[in-house]
Amino acid sequence: MAHPKRKISKTRRDKRRTHYKATMPQIAVDPTTGEAHLYHRAHWHEGKLYYRGQVVIDTTEAEV
């Protein structure tokens, strides 16, 4: 059975694991709709795509 040639020290193992730290995504609230969404991301609300409080794509006009 395969096994490592040398033991990895506790310090080296812990240094590697510092990169595994999880972070919470940053949530923003749109000033126009009040919808919560990921920061720096566009979001859909009632058939319209909003980015920074402005309508980017409006699909409701195509349906009417």
Side-chain angles (χ1 to χ4, degrees):
M1 187 169 135
H3 62 279
K5 190 171 184 178
R6 288 190 174 39
K7 178 182 175 180
I8 295 177
S9 68
K10 293 175 188 174
T11 303
R12 190 168 181 174
R13 178 201 64 203
D14 292 345
K15 280 183 182 177
R16 183 184 69 239
R17 289 181 181 175
T18 60
H19 299 288
Y20 298 161
K21 187 177 179 182
T23 59
M24 290 288 293
Q26 193 171 5
I27 303 295
V29 177
D30 189 89
T32 307
T33 62
E35 190 83 12
H37 61 92
L38 287 176
Y39 205 63
H40 294 289
R41 300 289 193 282
H43 65 97
W44 289 96
H45 182 73
E46 297 179 352
K48 297 177 183 174
L49 183 66
Y50 287 89
Y51 183 71
R52 299 182 73 182
Q54 297 178 347
V55 177
V56 179
I57 298 174
D58 190 359
T59 58
T60 56
E61 293 177 0
E63 295 173 359
V64 176

